[in-house]
Amino acid sequence: STTSGYASGGNVPPQTNTVDKFPFATDANATDVGNLTVSRSAVSGQSSDVNGYASGGTTPPQSNVIDKFPFSVDANATDVGDLSVARQSLCGQSSATNGYTSGGEEAPGNVNKIDKFPFASDTNASDIGDLTEVRKGTAGQSSTLSGYTSGGETPSAGSNTIDKFPFASDANATDVGNLFQTRADATGQQV
């Protein structure tokens, strides 16, 4: 949100459904403000102006659940839709109007899918494009115009690829550069 950071799900172990919140205005510990509908790890996150989303992950097995929780009040998440395929170790991106998930691992292999779901209504995600590589353990970033998927692990090796896909139209990603190091299971940041 504009005032707080959130962390949802994860592997304690076992998997947890906890939604934590910490303030941006002061340096302070996080507090438990709610629960996801399903305990899971290796989940992806997306944000609209008013809600946080947690999609996919593993319970195990892999999950296709898209959960939504509000920023305005501390509350449990609700299940608002499904990804096009259940998968874990995927990453998330956000435009002003839609949430995206890219890459990941389904049973029994990695995928290159890019899914999109709308923030305006609670509905299932649709598969709208492909990454340039089949990979899991990717990091996601978002500009105002494009989503980015960086790094990860292909079935045969690690990846340093930075893929970019447009928010304005449904299209495949293009390879626009490389990370300094080949690595998987990183995370992404942006302003």
Side-chain angles (χ1 to χ4, degrees), residues 85-181:
V85 64
R87 60 195 193 270
Q88 66 185 46
S89 301
L90 63 168
C91 68
Q93 297 85 8
S94 303
S95 74
T97 56
N98 296 291
Y100 296 80
T101 62
S102 55
E105 178 184 16
E106 65 172 332
N110 298 352
V111 298
N112 63 353
K113 293 180 183 295
I114 302 170
D115 275 7
K116 177 175 88 171
F117 59 89
F119 293 145
S121 61
D122 298 340
T123 187
N124 293 333
S126 54
D127 181 351
I128 52 98
D130 294 327
L131 299 176
T132 61
E133 297 175 309
V134 172
R135 53 197 161 128
K136 65 177 181 178
T138 52
Q141 299 85 11
S142 304
S143 76
T144 56
L145 301 175
S146 302
Y148 295 81
T149 304
S150 53
E153 181 182 348
T154 71
S156 60
S159 174
N160 65 355
T161 301
I162 302 171
D163 274 358
K164 174 176 144 181
F165 58 90
F167 290 148
S169 61
D170 297 342
N172 292 332
T174 55
D175 182 342
V176 296
N178 295 320
L179 297 177
F180 177 72
Q181 294 173 314

